[in-house]
Amino acid sequence: MTTLTRTPLIILGALLLCALTASAQEHVIKFATLAPEGSTWMNVMKEYDAAIRKESGNRLGFRLYPSGVQGDERDVLRKMKLGQLHSAGITGNGLTTVSPSARILDSPFLFRDQKEIDFAYGKFGPELEKAMDEAGYVNLGWAEVGYVYMFTNNPVRKKDDLSKTKMWMWEGDPIAEASFDALGIHAIPLSITDVLTSLQTNLIDGVYTSPLAAIALQWFTRVKFMLDLPLANAAGAVIISKKKYLELPEDLRTILTTNGRKYMRKLTELSRADNANALTTLKKNGITFTQPSSEDEVRSYAGIGSTARRKLVGKLYSQDVLDRLESSLEEYRRTTGPAKK
Amino acid sequence: MTRPTIILSFACLLLFQGCFQQIAVGSLTGIMEDGFLVLNEESDLALADASIASNLKLIESVLKGDPGNDKLLLMACRGYASYAMGFVEDDDTARALLFYRRGRDYGLRLFPADGALAVALRSDPAGLPDALRRAATSDVPAIFWTAVAWGSAINLDRTNPDALAELPRVEAMMEWVREKDPRYFYGGADFFLGTLKGSRPAILGGDTAASRVHFERALELNGGKFLLTYVYYAKSYARQTLDSALFGRLLTAVDTASIDILPEARLSNAIAQKKAIILRDKINEFF
């Protein structure tokens, strides 16, 4: 081979290499979340990213935007519609927009323990994911936020104690509205950013959130009691726009979804541990946990949950899916016995 | 020698040893304070890295013999916090967390154990506003550096609810410093509060508008000469608001500044220039 013929071959080789390098950067999934850098959510997302990069030979990877830098969940979903972002970690608010029926798993006093939660996600997850798919999103994995409790400045032992509470309600949240309506609470709708100040000024004296969020948002510094009976279990998920998903070659889709299930399950387990630790922290910081005064009282909350869930039929989900979910849980309880917290 | 004489001599020896130790610790403390000033003026990062590490161990050794020495406790608190920020955090967060906690613990020892401030900081956060109201201006360095070490430890320990629950205490300490002596350490309280409020979305308690005000005030107070202010302005506020143009401008201000712009903080400014390079490399990841 002469030098003249060799040179173009070298150039061709270099061009091919450039093309390969360029293709390695083709499949970047822009992901946004409200979770801050260093949080369990972001730590697991980084592990997920590392796993898909490794398995795909660096052809697929996330670009992670933590800490709400891309805006709140509504902003992020809007940017996903415009193609500026492809993927997001979403919770209640975002789920209501993406696929309202998925919020059935957020409904009040539905689950008695975490095994029931896992059972319900296992049985109804695929159906709810199908609804997401029809709305243009692929669910890469459910990642729950965790049990939501009511925190108050007056002790709540009986349901009637709640009626005296000036309870905050996240404005525009249908689940909270139905729940507090059924509980006979006249809740005060406010933006989440106004909650701490409103607790300080006594505009409200009750809030609901997960134990970890109560600490991260510093709300725990302004309340004294927590009713030790979860109001609900808050759902979360990592989704990708179907458009972006379908642009990926099939082998990369498999890598993305297989790892999505794996790492979101890990995230759920870690979030449960975080929340369990957060409960201990709350106790250490002087929050008193109150219990429902009797078994009848516990049963009455279950009844309230049932009433609230019916108020959401037609708004978030169908009567059919609610009936099937409730009867599946009853069947599950008959076969597994008493709940374990 | 009679028995009483032996006892007397032994007592004198002990007394003398005690005095000698006090004199030695006193001299060492003075030398170390001077050393601290010299280190802050150092522009060679490798030399500073090696010197600070050995000086910190020396301070700890002397503290063994004089555990209540306020000057040494403050040096240990400030030294560990600064060393972790300048030389460890960018490469090894687990090790940095260890050093920040060590700095925090030395700092907490600066407050008398049975005093209102120590009790409030350790176990009664509800009493903190009152305790801070009673604190004096002379407490500013102790409160500032303890808050720096403590807040930085929490920042690296965000999955730990116990640590997160302590953040309101740190914020209250820094707000107090800002009111009492806003000029302390180049507008350090505003710098710290700007970082804290600019690193979280509003939904999680952040306040980017307030963050910007804090950073601008810090720059005003230090005349734009304490370059770490620009670095943390970029890292928190500019990143949080997705303002890549501001991010670039802030880092350029660091890159183009003379290392001698503030001779007594030459080391901090050299660290700022190193951090600006690391941060600029992440521009495609952030925006």
Side-chain angles (χ1 to χ4, degrees):
Chain A
M1 197 184 280
T2 64
T3 311
L4 276 175
T5 53
R6 207 179 291 146
T7 309
L9 274 178
I10 291 168
I11 293 170
L12 188 67
L15 283 174
L16 269 173
L17 191 68
C18 286
L20 281 172
T21 315
S23 74
Q25 294 168 346
E26 255 175 45
H27 303 296
V28 175
I29 300 169
K30 292 184 177 180
F31 167 89
T33 172
L34 286 169
E37 192 80 74
S39 63
T40 299
W41 258 83
M42 274 305 291
N43 292 346
V44 174
M45 278 308 299
K46 283 183 177 174
E47 285 181 36
Y48 182 15
D49 178 46
I52 63 172
R53 281 176 194 271
K54 190 176 171 198
E55 287 182 27
S56 69
N58 219 21
R59 289 157 60 217
L60 178 68
F62 283 107
R63 182 174 296 168
L64 303 170
Y65 295 99
S67 206
V69 298
Q70 292 283 357
D72 64 19
E73 292 185 0
R74 277 180 207 170
D75 297 328
V76 167
L77 289 170
R78 186 176 46 78
K79 288 181 181 179
M80 281 175 73
K81 284 258 182 231
L82 296 170
Q84 294 166 351
L85 291 170
H86 313 120
S87 175
I90 54 167
T91 56
N93 241 332
L95 278 172
T96 306
T97 310
V98 166
S99 178
S101 62
R103 293 213 67 197
I104 194 167
L105 298 172
D106 273 0
S107 59
F109 305 113
L110 181 62
F111 301 118
R112 298 187 310 175
D113 63 21
Q114 287 171 339
K115 284 190 173 167
E116 289 189 6
I117 297 168
D118 291 339
F119 163 77
Y121 274 84
K123 191 163 175 68
F124 288 86
E127 179 177 337
L128 301 172
E129 285 161 24
K130 193 164 168 280
M132 286 180 166
D133 188 83
E134 283 161 9
Y137 303 94
V138 176
N139 186 346
L140 296 174
W142 298 100
E144 70 186 35
V145 174
Y147 283 142
V148 169
Y149 295 87
M150 285 183 276
F151 296 86
T152 55
N153 267 323
N154 296 306
V156 175
R157 295 190 176 86
K158 302 189 301 296
K159 187 175 78 65
D160 289 349
D161 295 331
L162 276 168
S163 58
K164 288 174 264 173
T165 304
K166 290 184 275 181
M167 180 63 76
W168 162 67
M169 186 183 87
W170 197 342
E171 56 189 8
D173 181 4
I175 300 246
E177 194 177 351
S179 306
F180 293 140
D181 199 26
L183 279 163
I185 300 173
H186 181 66
I188 300 162
L190 290 169
S191 154
I192 193 167
T193 51
D194 294 328
V195 171
L196 190 59
T197 318
S198 303
L199 280 169
Q200 283 163 348
T201 57
N202 206 28
L203 175 66
I204 52 172
D205 59 12
V207 292
Y208 58 99
T209 191
S210 72
L212 190 62
I215 295 168
L217 295 163
Q218 303 190 4
W219 295 355
F220 79 103
T221 60
R222 298 283 161 185
V223 291
K224 296 188 184 114
F225 299 92
M226 187 193 92
L227 177 61
D228 195 8
L229 179 78
L231 173 65
N233 182 65
V238 168
I239 56 166
I240 181 171
S241 74
K242 202 168 163 186
K243 182 172 177 294
K244 181 70 181 178
Y245 181 75
L246 292 175
E247 279 171 21
L248 300 175
E250 201 160 339
D251 63 325
L252 296 187
R253 283 186 222 160
T254 306
I255 289 171
L256 186 66
T257 49
T258 310
N259 281 292
R261 303 283 154 189
K262 179 178 160 187
Y263 284 97
M264 290 311 107
R265 181 64 208 170
K266 180 176 182 179
L267 179 53
T268 294
E269 281 165 14
L270 289 175
S271 295
R272 287 177 183 178
D274 281 351
N275 276 314
N277 290 336
L279 286 173
T280 310
T281 300
L282 288 169
K283 269 189 187 163
K284 274 196 270 185
N285 279 271
I287 304 292
T288 304
F289 292 13
T290 58
Q291 306 292 333
S293 56
S294 65
E295 275 305 308
D296 278 351
E297 195 69 23
V298 175
R299 274 191 289 276
S300 85
Y301 282 113
I304 286 162
S306 173
T307 306
R309 288 195 290 277
R310 266 140 200 85
K311 287 176 189 282
L312 294 163
V313 168
K315 286 184 187 166
L316 295 177
Y317 44 75
S318 67
Q319 183 71 52
D320 168 59
V321 71
L322 175 62
D323 290 344
R324 284 189 289 115
L325 176 61
E326 287 182 343
S327 58
S328 293
L329 279 170
E330 276 167 29
E331 176 62 27
Y332 177 81
R333 283 165 192 161
R334 271 198 295 278
T335 54
T336 55
K340 282 179 195 155
K341 241 182 144 181
Chain B
M1 205 182 272
T2 60
R3 194 181 160 87
T5 318
I6 294 171
I7 292 170
L8 189 66
S9 308
F10 189 63
C12 281
L13 189 69
L14 278 179
L15 197 66
F16 180 72
Q17 270 189 337
C19 290
F20 181 75
Q21 206 171 16
Q22 280 307 110
I23 293 164
V25 168
S27 315
L28 266 175
T29 307
I31 291 168
M32 281 187 273
E33 276 184 303
D34 292 343
F36 226 81
L37 294 175
V38 170
L39 268 174
N40 287 334
E41 292 169 8
E42 179 58 58
S43 62
D44 186 289
L45 291 177
L47 183 60
D49 187 353
S51 309
I52 294 173
S54 58
N55 273 319
L56 283 171
K57 288 320 290 178
L58 183 60
I59 291 170
E60 285 187 309
S61 308
V62 184
L63 267 171
K64 280 266 182 217
D66 189 10
N69 187 318
D70 282 357
K71 284 183 179 170
L72 290 175
L73 285 170
L74 184 62
M75 269 193 270
C77 168
R78 178 176 171 176
Y80 270 110
S82 307
Y83 183 62
M85 185 277 298
F87 297 99
V88 187
E89 189 173 338
D90 294 321
D91 305 314
D92 188 343
T93 50
R95 206 165 148 248
L97 175 59
L98 186 80
F99 291 158
Y100 281 132
R101 282 183 183 156
R102 210 177 284 183
R104 172 202 61 191
D105 293 342
Y106 281 120
L108 286 171
R109 280 170 52 184
L110 282 158
F111 311 108
D114 52 353
L117 205 46
V119 172
L121 289 174
R122 287 174 192 276
S123 55
D124 178 30
L128 189 56
D130 259 357
L132 284 171
R133 258 192 296 278
R134 278 182 272 149
T137 308
S138 56
D139 294 320
V140 164
I143 293 176
F144 176 81
W145 286 106
T146 305
V148 167
W150 201 346
S152 306
I154 296 168
N155 182 44
L156 295 184
D157 200 13
R158 292 186 187 188
T159 58
N160 177 359
D162 278 347
L164 288 176
E166 291 163 354
L167 191 60
R169 295 175 221 185
V170 173
E171 202 168 343
M173 291 163 84
M174 226 26 128
E175 289 285 5
W176 178 87
V177 173
R178 194 179 63 79
E179 280 169 27
K180 210 76 178 170
D181 188 359
R183 294 192 168 274
Y184 182 73
F185 200 69
Y186 315 105
D190 274 307
F191 172 173
F192 184 95
L193 291 166
T195 306
L196 190 65
K197 294 175 188 176
S199 308
R200 293 175 286 176
I203 206 167
L204 293 180
D207 185 342
T208 48
S211 164
R212 181 160 203 158
V213 172
H214 282 302
F215 277 120
E216 290 295 336
R217 198 181 296 136
L219 286 171
E220 198 183 309
L221 290 169
N222 62 44
K225 291 179 180 175
F226 189 68
L227 303 180
L228 279 168
T229 320
Y230 295 106
V231 173
Y232 281 83
Y233 198 169
K235 192 178 178 181
S236 55
Y237 175 84
R239 185 186 179 194
Q240 187 65 42
T241 54
L242 277 187
D243 191 340
S244 58
L246 177 66
F247 186 85
R249 277 202 308 279
L250 291 166
L251 295 185
T252 301
V254 180
D255 295 341
T256 54
S258 159
I259 196 71
D260 292 320
I261 194 171
L262 194 62
E264 71 269 26
R266 208 178 273 120
L267 178 58
S268 296
N269 282 345
I271 289 168
Q273 291 188 330
K274 178 189 79 169
K275 283 184 180 287
I277 294 168
I278 296 171
L279 212 48
R280 201 183 278 282
D281 279 348
K282 292 186 175 173
I283 196 159
N284 289 331
E285 180 189 324
F286 289 171
F287 299 98

